[in-house]
């Protein structure tokens, strides 16, 4: 059997053009939580880290639509050069937020280690594309990415076998308190929001967190 063709991640973004698609509905949930986080920080300086950011619309779309992002310092990490170009173009339209879009492998801690701890971590479209062992490793490493009280927004399909119960349990075991878990009945996506209630840990460099299997 020949190996499966690699996913075309630019084409993966196409359903965003349809506002009724599950992907657009998922985006709306993620953006709502990003907006809530922005409001709650009340203008205080804040760092954001988005791994496997795609074209960055979950964060950049919210920043673009709101004016209260003067002190947001965001790092987006994305492997696909075309999506990096799109994200950078969107970032350039933002008046005040400082956004860097790093082109490279987000699984490599060294690429973004200097930009953590972050106050908001986005793990959207990641946990469903890596092995269960890599999910566990990534979740166990989150305390190294998070500042005190940081928020993590993550997504994962509930396609069988549904890993979301294990993800929520693991986050709890790693010092996170669940803020929200949204899993509409008529779709497979889910969006989780967790707040880091533990003590931040120094980031361990020289590591790989995951490998995409798709
Ligand atoms: C499922 S999409 C999610 C995109 C975006 N976070 C969203 O939710 O709209 C996965 C993204 O991860 C990117 N990607 C895949 N492997 C990666 C890696 N090792 N490092 C960084 N980005 C990666 C793909 O190019 C793609 O844009």
């Amino acid at each position: 059997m020949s190996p499966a063709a690699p996913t075309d991640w630019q084409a993966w973004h196409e359903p965003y053009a349809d506002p009724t698609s599950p992907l657009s509905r998922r985006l709306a949930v993620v953006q709502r939580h990003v907006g809530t986080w922005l409001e709650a920080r009340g203008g205080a300086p804040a760092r954001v880290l988005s791994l496997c950011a795609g074209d960055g619309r979950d964060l950049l779309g919210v920043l673009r639509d709101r004016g209260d992002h003067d002190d947001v310092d965001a790092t987006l990490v994305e492997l696909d050069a075309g999506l990096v170009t799109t994200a950078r173009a969107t970032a350039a339209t933002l008046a005040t937020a400082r956004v860097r879009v790093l082109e490279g492998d987000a699984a490599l801690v060294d690429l973004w280690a200097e930009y953590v701890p972050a106050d908001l971590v986005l793990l959207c479209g990641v946990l469903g594309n890596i092995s269960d062992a890599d999910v566990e490793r990534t979740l166990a490493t989150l305390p190294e990415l998070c500042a005190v009280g940081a928020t993590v927004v993550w997504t994962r399909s509930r396609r069988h076998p549904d890993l979301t119960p294990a993800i929520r349990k693991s986050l709890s075991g790693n010092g996170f308190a669940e803020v929200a878990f949204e899993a509409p009945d008529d779709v497979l996506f889910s969006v989780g929001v967790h707040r880091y209630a533990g003590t931040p840990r120094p980031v361990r460099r020289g590591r790989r967190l995951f490998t995409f299997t798709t």
Side-chain angles (χ1 to χ4, degrees), residues 9 12 16 26 52-54 78-80 83 104-106 124-125 129 212:
W9 290 112
W12 180 91
Y16 279 134
R26 190 189 85 171
C52 305
E78 168 56 44
L79 197 55
D80 183 284
L83 293 168
D105 188 343
C124 300
N129 295 304
F212 262 46

Side-chain angles (χ1 to χ4, degrees), residues 142-143 146-152 174-177 194-201:
L142 278 177
C146 287
V148 175
T151 295
V152 177
N174 282 299
F176 289 84
H194 280 72
R195 181 158 300 125
Y196 187 49
T199 308
R201 294 196 214 130

Side-chain angles (χ1 to χ4, degrees), residues 16-91:
Y16 279 134
D18 173 3
T20 67
S21 70
L23 193 59
S24 291
R25 289 176 57 194
R26 190 189 85 171
L27 174 68
V29 176
V30 170
Q31 288 187 326
R32 172 161 45 79
H33 286 291
V34 170
T36 301
W37 171 83
L38 262 178
E39 259 161 42
R41 71 179 242 295
R47 276 175 158 184
V48 182
L49 177 68
S50 176
L51 298 183
C52 305
D55 66 10
R57 69 181 68 203
D58 43 15
L59 174 69
L60 302 179
V62 179
L63 296 180
R64 193 186 48 214
D65 294 346
R66 300 173 57 112
D68 53 352
H69 52 60
D70 301 30
D71 294 313
V72 172
D73 180 294
T75 303
L76 279 57
V77 191
E78 168 56 44
L79 197 55
D80 183 284
L83 293 168
V84 168
T85 299
T86 304
R88 285 182 179 150
T90 307

